[in-house]
Amino acid sequence: QVQLVESGGGLVQAGGSLRLSCGASGITFSRYASGWYRQAPGKQREMVATISSLGSTNYADSVKGRFTISRDNVKNTVHLQMDSLKPEDTAVYYCKTASYREYWGQGTQVTVSS
């Protein structure tokens, strides 16, 4: 059974940093593309950053230069380093990976105060 568990969310002031982590069981991150997505109240879920099985990365324009996605193949964990946070980054952040189907974590709340 595949399970993804996010951690690291919280409340931070604008300009601050947070590091999200996503641990997996039942699936190996390095074999598939993975990503971080977010959903703000009243808005659709959107892609934040993705990392391919080969390690290439892709970012939403709104977070380029501020967020960094990475993967620890030994710990089977995907991270999202978020710097220079803005109030508009406030959302529930979800980790996703996909083999023959998609797997999502339960989400972690990130709140950025102005």
Side-chain angles (χ1 to χ4, degrees), residues 27-49:
I27 195 166
T28 302
F29 274 135
S30 61
R31 296 184 62 186
Y32 310 103
S34 303
W36 286 94
Y37 296 73
R38 68 186 180 186
Q39 187 167 19
K43 295 188 177 181
Q44 289 189 331
R45 192 171 297 188
E46 63 176 358
M47 185 275 291
V48 175

